[in-house]
Amino acid sequence: MRQEQHNRTAMLQVENFSFDYENIEKPLVDQLCLTLYENEVTLLMGASGSGKSSLALCLNGLYPDAVEGFSSGDIYFHGKNIRDLKKGELNQHIGFVFQDPESQFCMITVEDELAFTLENRKIPGSEMSACISEALQAVGMEDFKNNKIHELSGGQKQKIALAAVLLLEPELLILDEPTANLDPVSSLEFIGLIKRIQKERGLSVLIIEHQADDWLELVHRVIVIGKDGKVIADEDAEALFSEKQQLLRQEGVFLPKQFTDSSGLEWKGDSPPLPTNEIILSMENMTFNRKGQSILKEINMELYRGEFIAVIGENGAGKSTLLQLMAGLLTPKKGNISFMNQPIERWNENELRKRMGYVFQNPEHQFITDTVYDELTFGMKLNGYTEEELEVTAAHLMKQYHLEKHRYSNPFSLSGGQKRRLSVATMLDETPDLLLFDEPTFGQDASTTQELMHMIRQLKENGTTIVFITHDMDIVDMTDRAFVLYNQEFAFAGEPDKLWEQEHILQQARLRLPYRIRKQQEAGVVYDLVH
Amino acid sequence: MFMISSINPTIKAFAVLIPGILLGFTFDVFTPLVYFIFILLVTFTLTDIPVIKWMKIFSPFLLVALGFAWMTTLYANQTFSYGDVLFSLWGIEVTTGSILTGISLAFRSLCFVALSLLFALTTDSTKFMLSLMQQCKLPPKITYGVLAGYRFLPIFQHELQILRQAHRIRGIGRTRGIKGRLNQFRRYSIPLLANGIRKAERVAIAMESKGFTGDTDRTHYHKMTVEKKDWLFFAMIVGTFVVVVGMSYYFGYLNIFGKQF
Amino acid sequence: MTNQWKLKEIVLMSILGVVFGVIYLLFFLVGQGIRNILVPFGLAPFGYEIIFGVWFIVSIIAAYILRKPGVAFTAEVIAAVVEVLLGSAAGPALILTGIIQGAAAELVFALTKWKDYRLRILILSGMSAALISFVWNLYSSGNIALAPGLLIAMLIVRLISGALLAGVLGKWISDQLAKTGVLRGYALGKELQKKRETGAA
Ligand SMILES: Nc1ncnc2c1ncn2[C@@H]1O[C@H](COP(=O)(O)OP(=O)(O)OP(=O)(O)O)[C@@H](O)[C@H]1O
Ligand SMILES: Nc1ncnc2c1ncn2[C@@H]1O[C@H](COP(=O)(O)OP(=O)(O)OP(=O)(O)O)[C@@H](O)[C@H]1O
Ligand SMILES: [Mg+2]
Ligand SMILES: [Mg+2]
């Protein structure tokens, strides 16, 4: 934590600012007053759906115009009301990385996308090539210059978004959950990169993030928005996290682990004994190519009933691809995949989908109807449940995932975290044999993550096999077995406790130790020092 | 000589457009036929379009042109049914004039197609738009707006694939048969369009967030230039057309709107 | 003119252009198919006329959704440009056709001072595009060589097609889209919203 005193010059001032999508009577963001200073890093926290992303988009002048929303109050940039600035002018000073990695590109190839920013800044054409290479290098994507953006993995897209914003060389950088889809090492590297640039260029940075841990050492100040849309805390991180824990818990905000000494997730009691050795899904010598490029090679895997499995690995390792293969959405080039002892391609499609659930990495890909309620009841309707049963289940799911207020909302207009929860909930109307989740917990606050894990535990006890793709090592630590994808193969398959001993593999696959082990090790170091 | 793929797209577009429009005046066989041969020559000497690929795209239009010729022959009006009656069909008298007009129109449409292919198969779409902006002063707002939409095309396929996957996941299997297909088409088309519109909105926000103002004063990563060879190409394509018309007049073939010159 | 449009409106026109650009190309094949069916009946000239309205639909949809001057025209031109970008056999001449058809559709909206977007206006706009494109085809496809009786019959079919496939179908598609809620930020969506509010009150 940085405590040094510095002369603060206000950069962005928000005065009595309110914003809402529908009407201004009971606004989402309510009479907000806050100031962002030059050369200062601010962390913005708050429950999922509290209006963080919306507020951030107001700060750089894109909202309320872009969504026909309503606002009152004023925002000043260097003392000038942003209403008086020409459209786009403000944006050349404020860089923005959007929460949804897919909605921030306007060109087809990586190269053209980056050049677009430079062109807007009127950088001479002859200098662009060098700038582009440099930015790509900074995010470790120099080999992808000529790739098409829509063919990149989720994490790779996020890295390109970061490269683009670096090229803008803004005075203020707004990052909306920028590391949500990054592998653990990339995430740390990115934080390091921001730290370096911030120092070098004296930038102001506003970070929106649910898990503050890794950011703490560069954050000067934390602002918390409450569920009622008002600022409920605006102070130094140390003071906030040590003195206001009760308040933060109430709001469902993650406390950094070093302040609570736990991962913040409970997985009560011992995990229930692995019940059976009944094989649910098996893969034999499975190979998969994309455009002639090998993605997965000779994969072997067996999943048992009631197991909780993690698939991990660096960005672009092929995790999502593997999950799609498991779900029978992609067909392997070679090898067999069987589900309940029957080759997956021989299953009757309807029967298969009843027994197996799948959640996409991008929540929006899951949605096929126009309201939250329809989305939740879609599968049940197909299976001929009565109106009453639909209502009961939907109400239960909406309550559990904090979506009650959004019954009639369009799934696409939810907040990032709400979308994620809805897409997970669509698969929980029944209890299938196998559930495949592609990064189900990203973008969630503490309380919803906790509830999701609770649900998973119940499912597991009822004999459902669950597969998680995740970059959260604390979750991996709770699983029965972890599979590490590296270099198109499994570099490791087994209990997480064994994995934590394999330093070499962790390093190769760009993974980290979970907080529990890191703490033990630190304690060990202290112990060694004392004795 | 130069390759046509290296010609400035805007110049190329005009070079192809002008003869295309002017051909509309001619109703004799000689002019479009000779010009058609010329375009073929250009296509196969100054581009590296594989002949097979070209044939594949071109051949359906051969049928279209034939159908068109036949129709005109049968239904030509008085001005164009000059000359002797050759035979009669279903009570319609077919004359030399109507046959010649039919063949002329057929060759004319083949000229259109060949010119279009010459353009389409040698031009990079992004460069075409950039060139329209840099050479024709098309506002950047439109240029990049169109490009952003055009970017949707490859994604469109991808999107369709995802939508299909989503439907499978959610329990609506693939359907067979014409009725199933039609149903599926309906189930996909509106969501696909809706997603497109949603994307439009977001892309616009993304562009603005990157400091795009629509300002005409901007630098260019891909600089499009007009050089001597571009004008040479223009002169060649348009010039040859003038020469062909001249020859046609000289030999007494030229027919404009049914009037012989 | 471009200053009155928001960037998102331009991108919307462009995306409509992409979607319908593909459909336009497909309909070229459909037209050919219908034509082949009609040949034995001696009705081949009508093959394309029956479906000709589809080629004006972008104008109608874009104008109906965005309701601003110049939209019908620009949307059609953009669709034509996109078709050219798609490659295939569409060349620059198509842009000219797009300009003519778009201008024709725009004309009707201009006559209402861009205030009236009821079904009848949309139908008239489709018919206007049909009429003027027909005149252009007299020249560009050499249709002028055809017998007057046939031409009149073709014109009538094209007018009907323009009215139904562009006007009526265009409105239906737009309304269907508005129901999904994606048009919230555009004129049509806002009108719907207003109707709902006054309806509820
Ligand atoms: N385009 C939109 N139209 C209507 N309502 C919206 C739209 N975007 C967001 N909302 C609503 O506004 C509220 C706040 O959303 P916002 O995205 O700002 O939340 P957030 O704090 O960033 O949450 P998260 O942590 O989940 O990303 C949510 O209840 C959401 O449903
Ligand atoms: N549609 C596609 N076409 C071509 N290549 C693709 C496509 N989707 C993904 N890829 C490539 O396949 C590889 C594996 O992608 P995948 O999405 O499975 O990675 P991942 O492990 O899920 O990564 P992340 O953690 O970033 O989500 C990547 O290198 C990616 O660039
Ligand atoms: Mg958010
Ligand atoms: Mg992935």
Side-chain angles (χ1 to χ4, degrees), chain A residues 52-53 99 176-177 415-416:
Chain A
K52 302 180 296 298
S53 304
Q99 183 167 10
D176 194 351
E177 306 194 17
S415 85

Coordinates of all heavy atoms in Angstrom, one line a residue, chain A residues 52-53 99 176-177 415-416, ligand 3:
Chain A
K52 N -21.2 0.3 -11.2 CA -19.8 0.7 -11.4 C -19.5 0.9 -12.9 O -19.0 2.0 -13.3 CB -18.9 -0.4 -10.9 CG -19.1 -0.7 -9.4 CD -18.1 -1.8 -8.9 CE -18.3 -3.1 -9.6 NZ -19.6 -3.7 -9.4
S53 N -19.8 0.0 -13.7 CA -19.5 0.1 -15.2 C -20.3 1.3 -15.7 O -19.8 2.1 -16.5 CB -19.9 -1.1 -15.9 OG -19.3 -2.2 -15.4
Q99 N -15.6 -3.8 -19.9 CA -15.7 -5.1 -19.1 C -15.9 -6.3 -20.1 O -15.3 -7.3 -19.9 CB -17.0 -5.0 -18.2 CG -17.2 -6.2 -17.4 CD -18.2 -5.9 -16.3 OE1 -18.9 -4.8 -16.3 NE2 -18.3 -6.8 -15.3
D176 N -12.1 -1.5 -16.6 CA -13.3 -2.2 -16.0 C -13.0 -3.7 -15.9 O -13.2 -4.4 -16.9 CB -14.5 -1.9 -16.8 CG -15.8 -2.2 -16.1 OD1 -15.7 -2.9 -15.0 OD2 -16.9 -1.8 -16.6
E177 N -12.7 -4.2 -14.8 CA -12.3 -5.6 -14.6 C -11.4 -6.1 -15.7 O -11.8 -7.1 -16.4 CB -13.6 -6.5 -14.5 CG -14.6 -5.9 -13.5 CD -15.7 -6.9 -13.1 OE1 -15.6 -8.0 -13.4 OE2 -16.6 -6.4 -12.5
S415 N -25.9 -6.2 -16.1 CA -24.5 -5.9 -15.8 C -23.6 -7.1 -16.1 O -24.2 -8.2 -16.2 CB -24.3 -5.4 -14.4 OG -24.1 -6.6 -13.5
G416 N -22.3 -6.9 -16.2 CA -21.4 -8.1 -16.5 C -21.6 -9.2 -15.6 O -21.8 -10.4 -16.0
Ligands
MG3 MG -19.5 -3.9 -14.5

